[in-house]
Every structure is written in C-alpha cells, then in structure tokens.
Amino acid sequence: MGNKHNSAGFKTRSPLSIFIVICLCCFFYILGAWQKSGFGKGDGIAVQMSKQTDCQIFPDLNFETHHNDVEIIEPSKPKAKVFKPCDVKYTDYTPCQEQDRAMKFPRENMIYRERHCPPEEEKLHCLIPAPKGYTTPFPWPKGRDYVHYANVPHKSLTVEKAVQNWVQFQGDVFKFPGGGTMFPQGADAYIDELASVIPIADGSVRTALDTGCGVASWGAYLMKRNVLAMSFAPRDNHEAQVQFALERGVPAVIGVLGSIHLPYPSRAFDMAQCSRCLIPWAANDGMFLMEVDRVLRPGGYWILSGPPINWKTYYQTWKRSKADLQAEQRRIEELAESLCWEKKYEKGDIAIFRKKANNKNCRRKSASICESKDADDVWYKEMEACKTPLPEVNSANEVAGGELKKFPERLFAIPPRVAKGLVEGVTAESFQEDNKLWKKHINAYKRNNKLIGTTRYRNIMDMNAGLGGFAAALESPKSWVMNVVPTIAKNTLGVIYERGLVGIYHDCCNLEDILLEMDRILRPEGIVIFRDEVDVMNKVKKIAGGMRWDTKMMDHEDGPLVPEKILVVVKQYWVGGTGNSTSSDQ
C-alpha cells in the first residue's frame, strides 16, 4: 500500500543490492527445481527442514483402535459432497463379482465367474458399511488361525466343509485348523511332503500360486516358511471364501481360470498348485494348463493333488469309471510333457511336475506356440490353447529369462528383466536409486506412525507399485503387500515378481471411483498414505472430506519447498446399521 511518505523517502537502489536480489532469486529457483526430484541428496538445508518438520506432524490423528460407539452428527454446511452409507445389504458387495450380474453371462469356461464390472449408471456412489460389531483382526500369527465371527458372519462353510477340517465355529470366533480337502491332517504335513521334492526351505521357492484356494490354508502355512502365495478362488455358492483368507491376513483375490488370462506376468511364480480345485486341466486342448505354464517360471514346480490323481483308490467315491479317470490323467501328463514339464513325483493323492529351465531340453515337440509378442500384455486378453515361448538361451544349462537369486537375496538383487534392459527407462542404477528412495520414504512414515511395520497393519496394498520399492523396504513376516500395477502405467509387474514379491494388474477409473473403492476395501480405522503434487492432493482431500475419513496434509520429508506433499488418512470406525464412529465431527 502506498502513502504520502513513500515518494519523499524513496532512494535509488545500488547496483550491488540489485545483484544480491537477483542472486537470491536464482538460488531459490535452482533449490526448488532440485528438490522437486524428491531425493534431497545430502543437502544440509533439506536435512534441517526435514528435522524441523519431523515433530508433531500428526497432532490430531490417532492410529490406535477405538471401536467406540459415538453418534454421527452430520455437519450443517458440508464443505464437500457427502457420501452416505450404503444399505447394510451391501456389506459384502464386490462391484465386479456380484451374483445377479454374474448369472447373465455364459457358464462355458466359467465366464460367468469372471470379472464383470457394472456400467456407470449401476455403480454405487455410497460408502460400503462394515458388518455390525466389526473389530480389528487378531494380530499375526494368531490371526492365521482365528477370525472374529462378526467380521465375516457366514457359517455355511463350517457345515459344507465340516469333514474336511477347513473351518470351525467356536463361540464368537472361527477357528481354522489348517486342514483342506486334500490335506485333512493339516497343511504343515502336506507341505512337508511337498518339501521332500521341492526345495522350499533354502529360498529357491519364494512365490507360489494356489488355484481354487478355498480359505487359503496352504498359503497361510507357507508364510512361516518364507514363501508368499497368491491364492485365488471364484465367488461361488460358498460364501466369502476369499474374504476369510484376507481376514486371516493371507494374500488372496477373487478370481478364476476361465476365458481371460490371469492378471499376472509371465514367468512369475516359483510354484503353483491345484488341490482338488476341480479345474478341467485336459479340456479346451489344455488351455488352462498352458496358462499355468505361462505364469510358471523356468525350473518352477506344479503340484496336482486330487482328481484324477489316485483314481484307483477314489474312482467309486468320485462316481467315475477307471477308464475315464485313467484317460484324463494320461492326457494331463501328455500336455505336461508337451509344455516341457517333467513328472518328478507321484504318491497317494499328489503328483509333482517340474518345468524345464529352457526349451533346449524338451523331450518332445512342444505345443503350438503363441503368436503374441508380449506375454505380459494380458489384461482382459482372451486365453488361447498355445504355449508361451520362453526367452532364447545360448546353452542347455542357461535359465530362460535369467536365473534368480535365492530369497531374501533376490529382494534387492538386480532383477533379470532390468539387467537385460527389458523395462524401458529402468537401469540397474535407477533400480538401486528407487530402493534408496523408498527406504527413506518408509523411515519417514514410521517416524510419524510407529504402528507401521507392526502387526497392526497386516494386509497392505501399493496402488501404484512401480518397481516394488515400497514393498521391499517394508518386507517383514509381520505384513505383506499387494503390489498393483495400473494398466496405464509402465509394465513393471514382472520385475516385482522377480524380486520375490507378489502383485496384480488392474485398471483405473476416475478419482472419485478410486477413492470410493479404496474406502470399500479398507478396514475400519485403516490408513491411507497419498504422495503426489499439491494440486492432486487438494482434489483428493476435497473428496475425502465427505467420506468419513480424517485427513492430515504434511510436507515432503525433504522439507516444505518440495512440491510433492503427503496426505495421511485414517478411516473412521463405523459399521452398518448404527452411528458408530471414532470421530465427533461427522
């Protein structure tokens, strides 16, 4: 503002002062541009700013569990669109797997059990409630064996699978004895038998795939052996099988081998199994077995327990003829041989095959070769009855695609896909820089929320996983991370699996849909950490203001001059049919 004294008091600035001002402007411009990278490589100013912002960043966010009964008071003048709770009938709602929609699709090749998402006009734009009485799951490892009934209030499996030792109902909890249809004596005994053939103990086997997993007891018991299993099962007449697995703290997704490729990259898994999964492996010219071959790494193992193995003992129980079952097993073994697999073991109910390390050692002519040039380009692509070609090798001893280190060394070793330059723009140097960056980010997160890295957060998802640096920095028996690679992003999921981590491809919608979906899959009092430019954060915060989320914006760990910001969210505790909430401002 000007005043009458300004003209009289004004003096011409000296050239030196002008030079100093220009220098300062240039300095801060360069500093801001440098810090935009987010690395802050040893800069003293950035370190001091980080130290100053470490304390009291979240004075009004509480990460402990509450589960108090507090009446929700709607604000008189909401600052953002307010999302109302959905009807309690939607407690188990899964948008792309709903029964009513599924029944409209063909049953051939399980198409009706695949992912079918609703059009825009059928989407729910409301908040999915947790079941009444929902409480924080038991900490791992107790959570592997016990689940609160209130969290998954479905008893049908305790009746339908009673003789198979899957799950028992005791008072107000479910108990999972570790049994399964093909291992009623327990998963440990079953895994011990597998380990007599497969090198599970030495870190050679790290990633596993369980097709038709039930409540995922195989994956649950593999975790203590440092094997991370991706389990899937369809949403069928058995209620909430996969939801039981997730409540137990075990990786699992709703899925099926049908007409569409599995959402995993080629050469991803060290081991795969079908334990009475009832998949018709010999049907469709072996298409389903060829899909397992695509995702199984060279040198990997496939386990088949259940029909038709041990048909001589069970043919009457299965109500099938000896000739029919014998022909089915023979056809499966012929397909396995055409895929360059070798049967290593058969005893009782179990047969184990091993995939050759390359195509030079195949005993017979391979199945027809797929023409696709990119075996990882699979999202919503139809399966074909053809063998996915392996990368070429120079000798019979070379592992196609590159040999992997044993776990845990492979977690931070340069992945073969990176070493061979197969991921555009990613080098060994940038891979190592990404690891350093995420270790730094995780340390900053832990300073502000000391529960990160504990059993309080068991199931974790990275919704834009990149090279898997977040999951690698967080790696611990106390938690696991589902790494999501969006289909619009650079395809890095193969790198993630080569590190001994698991993940999945997924597509993205608009921002509101993404946040509502995040709220649906987030447990009451779970947290979300957003990291992005400030304008994106402001959009997120505006929508989150109407979602019963408590939010807090914070500076980048390198200080307030970095344009990238961090938004931390705590989902309030509330359940269907009541006004329960941990917040008094909603």
Side-chain angles (χ1 to χ4, degrees):
M1 296 289 291
N3 59 53
K4 62 182 179 181
H5 301 290
N6 281 351
S7 57
F10 179 80
K11 295 182 180 179
T12 303
R13 296 186 184 272
S14 69
L16 177 60
S17 63
I18 294 174
F19 176 76
I20 292 173
V21 170
I22 293 173
C23 288
L24 287 172
C25 290
C26 291
F27 170 76
F28 284 112
Y29 175 84
I30 293 170
L31 176 65
W34 172 81
Q35 285 188 320
K36 185 179 178 62
S37 66
F39 289 100
K41 300 178 181 177
D43 178 72
I45 296 177
V47 171
Q48 289 302 316
M49 289 181 176
S50 180
K51 289 181 179 178
Q52 292 173 12
T53 56
D54 281 345
C55 302
Q56 303 300 320
I57 290 181
F58 302 120
D60 55 351
L61 281 187
N62 193 331
F63 298 103
E64 300 288 350
T65 56
H66 299 280
H67 299 183
N68 296 328
D69 294 337
V70 181
E71 182 181 358
I72 297 175
I73 302 173
E74 296 293 340
S76 57
K77 294 182 179 180
K79 296 180 181 180
K81 175 182 176 181
V82 174
F83 296 90
K84 300 294 183 182
C86 301
D87 190 281
V88 291
K89 69 180 181 181
Y90 291 109
T91 293
D92 291 331
Y93 177 72
T94 310
C96 303
Q97 302 284 348
E98 282 304 291
Q99 283 289 92
D100 291 343
R101 171 167 286 277
M103 299 308 293
K104 298 176 182 178
F105 292 88
R107 298 201 172 204
E108 180 186 4
N109 288 335
M110 297 290 283
I111 292 174
Y112 76 118
R113 294 298 185 197
E114 292 180 323
R115 186 172 178 259
H116 302 291
C117 296
E120 185 62 37
E121 63 271 15
E122 292 183 19
K123 290 180 180 179
L124 294 180
H125 292 276
C126 52
L127 304 178
I128 304 296
K132 187 175 181 180
Y134 187 92
T135 189
T136 301
F138 293 107
W140 188 267
K142 183 178 180 179
R144 182 194 69 182
D145 301 330
Y146 294 94
V147 166
H148 297 287
Y149 169 74
N151 293 8
V152 194
H154 306 295
K155 295 182 182 178
S156 62
L157 284 180
T158 63
V159 178
E160 294 184 33
K161 302 296 181 181
V163 298
Q164 296 167 4
N165 212 23
W166 275 29
V167 57
Q168 302 166 358
F169 182 64
Q170 299 180 352
D172 60 352
V173 300
F174 290 110
K175 180 181 179 181
F176 296 85
T181 306
M182 299 312 301
F183 40 94
Q185 302 307 311
D188 268 335
Y190 177 78
I191 295 170
D192 284 341
E193 184 172 358
L194 301 182
S196 68
V197 180
I198 302 171
I200 292 175
D202 71 353
S204 299
V205 172
R206 164 62 178 177
T207 57
L209 180 69
D210 191 0
T211 59
C213 67
V215 295
S217 286
W218 187 64
Y221 278 78
L222 278 172
M223 297 192 93
K224 69 179 181 180
R225 303 181 191 229
N226 219 13
V227 176
L228 196 56
M230 173 68 77
S231 302
F232 71 81
R235 179 160 187 166
D236 56 15
N237 296 329
H238 301 311
E239 291 178 293
Q241 290 186 54
V242 165
Q243 190 172 351
F244 275 122
L246 291 168
E247 281 295 323
R248 298 174 71 185
V250 181
V253 294
I254 297 176
V256 65
L257 265 170
S259 65
I260 304 298
H261 280 292
L262 294 173
Y264 314 115
S266 61
R267 310 190 309 278
F269 296 97
D270 303 318
M271 177 171 63
Q273 82 137 2
C274 161
S275 175
R276 195 174 171 81
C277 63
L278 303 180
I279 293 172
W281 297 110
N284 298 318
D285 297 321
M287 182 173 71
F288 299 141
L289 205 58
M290 292 172 181
E291 178 65 355
V292 172
D293 178 72
R294 182 186 69 82
V295 300
L296 192 64
R297 74 166 176 85
Y301 296 85
W302 183 62
I303 305 124
L304 176 59
S305 61
I309 306 302
N310 207 5
W311 54 268
K312 293 178 182 179
T313 301
Y314 294 119
Y315 75 95
Q316 290 180 321
T317 303
W318 297 337
K319 297 180 180 180
R320 295 175 63 184
S321 70
K322 287 185 177 181
D324 179 32
L325 287 162
Q326 185 179 24
E328 183 182 357
Q329 180 166 352
R330 185 184 300 116
R331 176 58 179 151
I332 290 173
E333 292 184 353
E334 289 173 352
L335 283 166
E337 192 174 351
S338 74
L339 293 170
C340 208
W341 297 6
E342 180 183 5
K343 187 163 78 169
K344 307 293 289 186
Y345 177 87
E346 182 179 339
K347 183 178 179 182
D349 301 332
I350 299 174
I352 300 175
F353 298 80
R354 189 180 189 192
K355 182 176 178 176
K356 295 284 189 178
N358 57 58
N359 286 334
K360 288 186 178 294
N361 296 313
C362 296
R363 293 181 179 177
R364 58 178 290 179
K365 184 178 179 181
S366 296
S368 60
I369 303 299
C370 300
E371 296 181 359
S372 174
K373 295 182 180 179
D374 187 355
D376 295 351
D377 181 19
V378 293
W379 184 250
Y380 271 81
K381 301 292 176 63
E382 291 189 357
M383 280 192 289
E384 299 178 73
C386 58
K387 174 178 169 59
T388 302
L390 289 175
E392 295 293 331
V393 296
N394 296 317
S395 71
N397 296 323
E398 185 180 349
V399 177
E403 188 171 1
L404 299 176
K405 302 287 187 182
K406 294 181 179 180
F407 197 85
E409 185 181 356
R410 68 192 270 194
L411 187 63
F412 291 104
I414 304 299
R417 278 173 166 87
V418 173
K420 294 176 181 294
L422 300 179
V423 184
E424 184 181 357
V426 180
T427 64
E429 293 73 20
S430 64
F431 173 79
Q432 291 171 337
E433 284 296 319
D434 186 75
N435 287 331
K436 292 178 183 177
L437 180 63
W438 277 107
K439 286 180 180 179
K440 175 179 167 182
H441 289 338
I442 293 296
N443 287 335
Y445 297 159
K446 288 182 176 180
R447 285 198 300 269
N448 295 297
N449 181 354
K450 298 186 185 304
L451 296 176
I452 293 176
T454 72
T455 57
R456 174 63 181 84
Y457 304 120
R458 172 69 183 168
N459 301 353
I460 301 174
M461 178 178 286
D462 185 348
M463 296 188 67
N464 187 17
L467 299 174
F470 170 84
L474 204 59
E475 165 61 25
S476 165
K478 297 177 182 178
S479 62
W480 62 274
V481 178
M482 177 71 79
N483 293 281
V484 179
V485 173
T487 55
I488 61 173
K490 185 180 297 183
N491 191 347
T492 54
L493 194 54
V495 171
I496 289 169
Y497 273 92
E498 287 180 341
R499 303 186 71 171
L501 304 168
V502 296
I504 196 168
Y505 294 115
H506 211 284
D507 52 5
C508 296
C509 306
N510 62 59
L511 187 55
E512 182 177 301
D513 286 346
I514 291 173
L515 294 179
L516 286 172
E517 181 66 358
M518 290 171 69
D519 182 80
R520 184 185 70 82
I521 64 176
L522 192 65
R523 287 173 171 162
E525 298 185 324
I527 68 167
V528 184
I529 301 174
F530 297 91
R531 178 183 286 271
D532 214 314
E533 301 292 320
V534 68
D535 57 338
V536 175
M537 292 300 201
N538 286 331
K539 293 176 183 177
V540 171
K541 191 172 182 180
K542 182 177 180 181
I543 297 173
M547 294 180 60
R548 302 189 181 192
W549 288 4
D550 296 323
T551 64
K552 182 70 176 181
M553 189 87 79
M554 63 176 284
D555 288 324
H556 189 280
E557 57 264 24
D558 285 344
L561 297 181
V562 181
E564 186 177 81
K565 303 298 177 185
I566 300 167
L567 180 67
V568 179
V569 164
V570 178
K571 179 178 176 178
Q572 296 171 15
Y573 177 85
W574 65 278
V575 299
T578 72
N580 293 345
S581 174
T582 53
S583 175
S584 60
D585 60 2
Q586 281 233 1

